[in-house]
Amino acid sequence: MIILIISFSFYNYTIYTSKSNYGSIHLSDKAVQGENIWLKKNCNACHQLYGLGGYLGPDLTNVYSTKGKGKVYIKAMMSSGIKAMPKFNFSENEKEALVQFLKEVDQTGYYPNFDAKIEPNGWVSLKYKNPNYENE
């Protein structure tokens, strides 16, 4: 039992004190404006990014690149709303900022990510859409 406790302690110490490079994601100024609107309007109360958020609306991680959706679709949903989604009175600049935010979120990866691999050291290796986000 003592060997298990020591092994577990060593493993946790190694994982949680590792200085691994998590990469860095840099949003453009317009995307940061969109993120601020996303937070101010509490969009994550109903929608998810990478599966985190509310469950009333769909996950929007890859809405920008989904076939049949994209910029025009996103702006239309923000303007008119449907079912439980309220109609927001966003300015054109606010819509553009939100679209840019969702576009840049979309570029970071896939959700759900079926190509994720668990490494022997416990870390999860992900497949990214944009190689600039991988191991920066």
Side-chain angles (χ1 to χ4, degrees):
M1 184 65 153
I2 291 175
I3 292 173
L4 286 174
I5 292 171
I6 291 170
S7 298
F8 178 75
S9 299
F10 177 74
Y11 176 78
N12 280 322
Y13 176 81
T14 303
I15 292 294
Y16 292 112
T17 60
S18 172
K19 301 289 186 207
S20 295
N21 184 356
Y22 298 109
S24 56
I25 297 174
H26 305 283
L27 295 176
S28 67
D29 289 341
K30 186 171 224 112
V32 170
Q33 291 171 0
E35 180 183 25
N36 288 335
I37 295 166
W38 172 275
L39 295 171
K40 183 179 175 187
K41 295 296 185 179
N42 202 19
C43 298
N44 60 321
C46 296
H47 295 282
Q48 309 93 45
L49 293 176
Y50 284 101
L52 301 173
Y55 293 99
L56 186 59
D59 187 294
L60 299 178
T61 306
N62 298 122
V63 70
Y64 191 88
S65 64
T66 301
K67 187 176 180 175
K69 297 193 177 173
K71 183 177 183 173
V72 173
Y73 175 84
I74 295 168
K75 287 172 91 173
M77 289 300 108
M78 285 189 278
S79 296
S80 64
I82 58 169
K83 297 183 183 176
M85 183 170 166
K87 178 181 177 182
F88 290 103
N89 294 316
F90 291 124
S91 69
E92 193 58 33
N93 286 339
E94 289 174 321
K95 290 179 200 173
E96 287 291 332
L98 277 164
V99 167
Q100 186 64 30
F101 171 64
L102 291 172
K103 178 182 179 182
E104 292 185 28
V105 165
D106 189 296
Q107 291 173 352
T108 62
Y110 301 95
Y111 183 79
N113 193 331
F114 295 111
D115 292 328
K117 293 184 178 78
I118 298 175
E119 302 294 334
N121 63 3
W123 290 108
V124 177
S125 175
L126 300 174
K127 179 180 177 185
Y128 290 86
K129 283 185 172 185
N130 185 338
N132 292 330
Y133 294 118
E134 192 168 8
N135 299 322
E136 268 188 15

